[in-house]
Amino acid sequence: MSRALSFFSTGNVNVHNPMSIYKSEEYPVHAAAEGGSIHLVRWLLEDRKCSLYTGGGGGQRVPVKTAEGLTCLAIAAYFGHEDIMRHLVHNHGAKVTEITETAVLVR
């Protein structure tokens, strides 16, 4: 976590946009969920106000996804990070129905 904060403090990281150097176009919150850092996920969502959703037509919430179509919740599920999954569902309104990749659920 301290390494991530140190890197962020350089001003070279925009936590609200996809990391463009990666083909997957994942956002920093996706990377934090993959890495299993609940502290980093909380910091990104609560302190830095990163969003798990974009506004869709008709007032719908559309989950922010990677180029592969994975949500933050799906990534946490795939890597077995139950604490992150629980946090996303209970504190940020993530829904299990957002996990559309069956490979994530069959693991």
Side-chain angles (χ1 to χ4, degrees):
M1 173 82 178
S2 63
R3 232 175 110 201
L5 293 176
S6 173
F7 188 59
F8 175 76
S9 70
T10 66
N12 294 321
V13 178
N14 183 340
V15 296
H16 300 283
N17 290 316
M19 296 182 289
S20 60
I21 62 170
Y22 298 109
K23 190 176 182 179
S24 67
E25 295 185 17
E26 65 183 13
Y27 285 71
V29 72
H30 292 118
E34 181 178 337
S37 175
I38 185 68
H39 301 293
L40 192 52
V41 169
R42 284 182 175 156
W43 178 77
L44 287 165
L45 295 174
E46 293 155 19
D47 294 348
R48 302 309 314 161
K49 306 295 183 213
C50 293
S51 182
L52 295 175
Y53 300 93
T54 60
Q60 293 179 329
R61 293 182 345 151
V62 178
V64 173
K65 297 181 179 181
T66 65
E68 290 83 21
L70 297 174
T71 64
C72 194
L73 182 63
I75 292 169
Y78 181 79
F79 287 97
H81 302 305
E82 294 176 26
D83 55 341
I84 294 174
M85 293 172 60
R86 201 172 296 111
H87 181 75
L88 295 174
V89 169
H90 292 293
N91 298 92
H92 296 281
K95 307 240 182 287
V96 176
T97 55
E98 295 169 7
I99 302 174
T100 57
E101 290 289 323
T102 54
V104 169
L105 300 173
V106 185
R107 223 183 93 114

